[in-house]
Amino acid sequence: MRQIAIIGIGQSPVTENWDQSIREIAGEAIIAALHDAGLTSADGIFIGNMLSGQLSKQENLGALVADWVGLRGQDAVKVEAACGSGAAALRLGIMAVGSGELESAIVAGVEKMTETKGAETTSALATAADADYEVIQGVTFVGLNALVMQRYLHEYGWRHTDFAPFSINAHANALHNPAARLHEMITEQDYQRARMIAEPINLLDASPIGDGAAAVVIVPLEDVRRKFPSQAGLKRRNIRISGSASATDYLAVHSRKDPLWLAAAERSTRQAYAQAGITPADVDFFELHDAFSIMAALSLEACGFAERGQAPRLGLDGEITIHGSIPIATRGGLKARGHPVGATGIYQIVEAVQQLRGEAGATQIENAQIGMAQNIGGSGATIITHILEADRVN
Amino acid sequence: MEISRHWRLRKQRYGLMGEICPHCEAKLFPPRDICPECGGEAKTLYQFSGKGEVYSYTTIYEPPAGYEENAPYTVALVKLDEGPIVTAQLTDLGEEQVQIGTPVEMVTRRLRQDGDERGMIIYGYKFRPVGLGPH
């Protein structure tokens, strides 16, 4: 496999976007990414998306988007892995360019979620779970996470309020991200008083949905200086994808031997660490899948940043902030940047590239060299991990 | 929803019919044709007792489409006496406060109150605290 570099990034703000359709939102991010890369085309287009069929009554997104951005004729396809669709699309793009099948690819994630009624969107999201044995019982996606969090509180003895730092940190970082859905600081008191959605998960444990798209352009690393002169002119650090791994688990939470352990996160991260030749201690920041505060905790544990049952301690000790030992959600995370589900995995990659290029503004992590992004489809069923590294500028 | 989709699950929905692995005797619910314990083929039917205890629970305040009428309602992970955990609503709760560890038993109830566009009413398992109501 050839090594892969990311040479362009683009994103549209996560909003309730009544002005743009799904093709327009995707097009905006893709054109921005091509512009950032100094290109006008790419050999392939991979679109991460979960809900277009259900909520926009639109499938065949590969052709739809290729047509819209003026790249008719190119190889283009939609990739679906529930909320992990974005990272799944990136992984396919990496395999296509890495193998030599394509010389360049645009990988985008797009989702349009705010035009339908709440109950309809809730039902659509629940299709990530087991229709016959979970969803039929009236459990929502939030509900599944609530079942996990309730058990976690019971087994490890944490109080609900001990999870507040995850949400407070995400909101504080999103304040400085113009593309974020929420721009408001929250306090522990706000967290404690938030409206209950599915006990013990309240509104400030949960990420907001939204409309949005993000895109990256990938090429073989060996070609960056040779074939893309615009990149040499930019004097940017090369951003290399040094790890990419996907793993799956039982689809249904109830089938897992230990519902409090993200086995697929452990497996995919172990593979990605091995590919990159690093350990968790080498990771400068971690864009994790904090769809719910409990998921942030479980991810930190399964990826080797905290002992089992101890992740809330990292939050309480300030280790997850941009000045801590393992900064997370540095641009707001799912919690405050927002969670346009199939687009989220690519927002994470765009944000990681911003950090590694030194373009993260007020939430820039000093000397960031290695970033990790992890995207989860379902409540832990599909977990995809990417490790990005910035080449040192000589 | 399609009628056949629910019809083919009737043994599971009405009777908690799972499987037992003929190779390692693992008891499986929901049924799955490959045993997750030993990897062998497992298609032998096994009748679960319907007894278990609450492993975790939550209250759904924002229900999906088709479940609005009953909200808020309680959903639990129920650990069956035979080992597997199932996702199910708790019912017949009265004033009782559910806790992790509360013993429960299976009952048959309407899962969706509204029928759907074809007028279908879907029945299936829920669980209630043991010792409540007639058996």
Side-chain angles (χ1 to χ4, degrees):
Chain A
M1 286 276 284
R2 302 188 290 187
Q3 292 209 78
I4 300 295
I6 298 176
I7 62 166
I9 56 174
Q11 59 182 339
S12 68
V14 181
T15 56
E16 185 166 347
N17 188 343
W18 290 6
D19 291 327
Q20 288 180 301
S21 69
I22 194 165
R23 77 183 85 184
E24 291 172 299
I25 300 173
E28 184 178 305
I30 287 171
I31 288 164
L34 281 171
H35 189 257
D36 186 53
L39 300 179
T40 54
S41 183
D43 287 352
I45 306 176
F46 297 86
I47 308 282
N49 172 270
M50 175 184 177
L51 300 171
S52 70
Q54 294 189 73
L55 299 185
S56 298
K57 302 287 180 270
Q58 178 70 63
E59 287 291 9
N60 215 352
L61 285 196
L64 178 86
V65 173
D67 182 9
W68 180 253
V69 299
L71 294 178
R72 282 170 300 280
Q74 304 301 69
D75 188 347
V77 69
K78 163 172 162 168
V79 181
E80 190 277 326
C83 307
S85 298
L90 178 60
R91 204 168 140 59
L92 286 191
I94 291 168
M95 289 194 272
V97 176
S99 68
E101 185 72 14
L102 302 177
E103 290 305 317
S104 62
I106 295 162
V107 182
V110 62
E111 207 70 72
K112 182 87 187 148
M113 307 176 73
T114 67
E115 280 174 343
T116 34
K117 284 189 288 187
E120 203 180 323
T121 312
T122 299
S123 293
L125 284 168
T127 60
D130 187 324
D132 288 342
Y133 289 100
E134 292 182 311
V135 181
I136 189 65
Q137 289 287 335
V139 69
T140 56
F141 204 64
V142 186
L144 288 170
N145 282 273
L147 290 167
V148 172
M149 188 173 191
Q150 185 87 290
R151 184 71 195 188
Y152 188 96
L153 296 176
H154 172 81
E155 275 199 18
Y156 300 121
W158 297 101
R159 299 167 305 162
H160 175 257
T161 198
D162 294 329
F163 284 74
F166 294 116
S167 302
I168 293 170
N169 171 64
H171 277 256
N173 291 339
L175 209 55
H176 306 287
N177 178 3
R181 174 101 150 104
L182 303 176
H183 292 115
E184 52 187 306
M185 297 282 277
I186 60 164
T187 63
E188 186 171 354
Q189 204 172 53
D190 295 331
Y191 177 79
Q192 288 165 345
R193 290 178 179 174
R195 178 167 57 87
M196 193 60 74
I197 306 176
E199 184 192 354
I201 289 181
N202 71 29
L203 193 64
L204 288 180
D205 285 302
S207 54
I209 62 161
D211 304 329
V216 298
V217 177
I218 59 173
V219 298
L221 182 69
E222 65 204 27
D223 288 354
V224 173
R225 298 296 182 209
R226 197 158 48 86
K227 287 194 191 165
F228 301 98
S230 62
Q231 293 292 311
L234 290 169
K235 295 204 185 347
R236 271 187 197 143
R237 305 164 94 193
N238 277 341
I239 309 300
R240 182 165 51 90
I241 299 174
S242 60
S244 172
S246 178
T248 51
D249 197 355
Y250 292 94
L251 183 73
V253 172
H254 58 226
S255 295
R256 295 181 197 151
K257 296 270 176 313
D258 180 356
L260 302 184
W261 187 252
L262 295 177
E266 181 187 17
R267 185 183 170 94
S268 75
T269 311
R270 199 191 306 130
Q271 289 173 2
Y273 287 148
Q275 290 166 8
I278 65 167
T279 70
D282 298 314
V283 175
D284 293 318
F285 64 94
F286 181 19
E287 295 303 336
L288 48 63
H289 193 93
D290 55 335
F292 301 94
S293 54
I294 180 65
M295 290 305 282
L298 296 186
S299 298
L300 285 165
E301 292 170 15
C303 298
F305 298 104
E307 294 294 319
R308 187 183 288 253
Q310 295 305 309
R313 173 59 50 205
L314 287 177
L316 294 168
D317 289 348
E319 300 293 358
I320 59 170
T321 70
I322 57 165
H323 304 296
S325 60
I326 182 63
I328 62 172
T330 70
R331 307 294 284 150
L334 280 63
K335 175 68 199 79
R337 174 241 297 124
H339 186 26
V341 290
T344 288
I346 304 299
Y347 276 98
Q348 293 177 316
I349 299 296
V350 166
E351 292 158 358
V353 171
Q354 288 179 326
Q355 283 288 359
L356 294 170
R357 283 183 182 173
E359 297 173 356
T363 59
Q364 180 64 48
I365 289 153
E366 229 173 294
N367 300 319
Q369 298 286 339
I370 300 179
M372 186 158 86
Q374 189 169 74
N375 195 197
I376 302 184
S379 38
T382 305
I383 303 192
I384 305 168
T385 307
H386 284 99
I387 296 172
L388 275 56
E389 297 191 34
D391 290 347
R392 285 181 176 75
V393 182
N394 294 315
Chain B
M1 288 215 203
E2 301 304 321
I3 290 170
S4 55
R5 176 170 195 171
H6 299 287
W7 173 82
R8 69 174 170 260
L9 291 173
R10 63 200 181 282
K11 285 182 183 166
Q12 285 73 43
R13 293 264 172 81
Y14 305 156
L16 276 185
M17 184 65 80
E19 290 168 339
I20 184 165
C21 173
H23 311 289
C24 75
E25 298 195 342
K27 290 162 185 148
L28 311 174
F29 191 90
R32 47 174 69 236
D33 291 348
I34 302 294
C35 174
E37 301 295 337
C38 72
E41 232 179 85
K43 290 183 173 177
T44 311
L45 293 179
Y46 178 83
Q47 176 69 55
F48 281 79
S49 69
K51 307 280 187 203
E53 63 173 49
V54 173
Y55 177 85
S56 191
Y57 63 94
T58 184
T59 307
I60 305 288
Y61 292 95
E62 295 184 6
Y67 294 82
E68 294 95 337
E69 215 169 273
N70 273 0
Y73 49 87
T74 302
V75 172
L77 294 175
V78 173
K79 188 167 178 56
L80 301 173
D81 285 352
E82 295 87 347
I85 295 177
V86 296
T87 304
Q89 280 190 35
L90 298 184
T91 187
D92 303 5
L93 289 177
E95 297 302 304
E96 187 164 343
Q97 175 60 43
V98 179
Q99 291 180 332
I100 288 174
T102 299
V104 292
E105 64 188 1
M106 180 209 153
V107 290
T108 303
R109 291 286 187 273
R110 262 203 293 205
L111 294 180
R112 287 177 66 124
Q113 302 284 340
D114 64 343
D116 66 1
E117 67 273 13
R118 297 190 184 202
M120 193 164 46
I121 298 170
I122 301 164
Y123 290 87
Y125 52 81
K126 292 187 182 180
F127 286 77
R128 69 176 174 194
V130 171
L132 286 183
H135 286 261

